[in-house]
Amino acid sequence: MSEPSRAEVDDASFIERSRCDPEVFAEVFRRHAPDITRYVTRRLGDDAADDVVAETFLAAFRQRDGYDLSRRNARPWLYGIATNLMRRHLRTEVRQLRLVERTGVDPVTASFTERSDERLSAEASRRSLAGALAALPKGHRDALLLVAWGGLSYSETAEALGVRLGTVQSRVNRARKKLRKELGGINPMATVSEESL
């Protein structure tokens, strides 16, 4: 019988093997670093993102012996570590959101976008959204952005933040209501996407 391909092996298997062979942990990094990097860059900007992503995977590597191997997907665990590390950068995140509010330039999509009438309109709404996001309480912003930008489910978000599912649902709901009000009735989840801020 042949050995399963890397795609067929889940994160828990790599983490378990990395306990004896540390180099195997590189596969967990390879699988998740691009998504974690986009998420952190969007929240903190390029300067702080590199450090937070590096710290996230270093912390994960150091904590791998305590990883619950029944959790086959390490994604929520990694987003939780990244979110905890970003708390030290709260002022940077708010500054980043205020910068986007003033300029309309998103550090993740800026180099990949073309100017058009539609893009200029999106830029104007991006500014309003950035200001509204900066005004949200930290817990609400974390929950909303893990769902919207991190692509985590509500249950994965609860796992990442170490809170109950109902808490995540409540925080996201309240954040949506507040953003909808600030944005003049626009659905914030349609605005808080990969294409926008």
Side-chain angles (χ1 to χ4, degrees):
M1 190 170 222
S2 67
E3 191 174 308
S5 72
R6 286 185 181 261
E8 295 169 340
V9 179
D10 57 41
D11 295 330
S13 300
F14 287 113
I15 292 170
E16 182 177 31
R17 286 180 36 219
S18 77
R19 291 172 179 173
C20 294
D21 183 4
E23 290 182 13
V24 173
F25 195 81
E27 181 63 19
V28 175
F29 178 85
R30 187 194 65 73
R31 287 176 167 205
H32 299 288
D35 291 335
I36 300 287
T37 300
R38 275 190 295 278
Y39 175 70
V40 175
T41 300
R42 180 159 274 148
R43 291 196 64 180
L44 300 179
D46 287 326
D47 295 339
D50 290 340
D51 291 340
V52 170
V53 171
E55 290 172 31
T56 296
F57 284 94
L58 180 60
F61 181 78
R62 288 179 177 158
Q63 297 170 21
R64 73 189 189 285
D65 286 339
Y67 183 77
D68 179 358
L69 296 174
S70 69
R71 298 184 184 273
R72 308 314 290 172
N73 184 351
R75 193 167 155 229
W77 177 59
L78 294 168
Y79 274 96
I81 293 170
T83 300
N84 286 334
L85 290 170
M86 283 190 293
R87 287 192 177 118
R88 287 191 265 159
H89 298 273
L90 176 61
R91 285 188 299 264
T92 303
E93 178 183 32
V94 172
R95 270 195 314 270
Q96 178 69 19
L97 289 168
R98 295 291 182 208
L99 178 66
V100 174
E101 180 182 23
R102 281 191 314 278
T103 66
V105 177
D106 178 356
V108 172
T109 60
S111 62
F112 303 106
T113 59
E114 295 177 355
R115 292 284 183 213
S116 68
D117 290 341
E118 182 179 302
R119 209 62 196 147
L120 291 173
S121 174
E123 192 172 289
S125 66
R126 185 179 303 131
R127 290 177 183 192
S128 298
L129 174 62
L133 285 170
L136 286 175
K138 178 88 172 96
H140 292 84
R141 188 170 53 242
D142 285 344
L144 179 70
L145 296 181
L146 281 168
V147 170
W149 289 348
L152 271 62
S153 68
Y154 281 23
S155 60
E156 289 174 325
T157 299
E159 183 182 334
L161 295 175
V163 298
R164 288 197 212 148
L165 176 60
T167 301
V168 169
Q169 292 168 328
S170 174
R171 287 177 181 177
V172 170
N173 185 41
R174 288 180 182 158
R176 282 180 176 164
K177 283 181 181 178
K178 184 166 183 168
L179 289 178
R180 187 174 287 124
K181 181 180 176 185
E182 294 290 323
L183 299 174
I186 296 171
N187 176 5
M189 293 311 280
T191 309
V192 185
S193 69
E194 195 65 33
E195 291 297 317
S196 67
L197 185 66

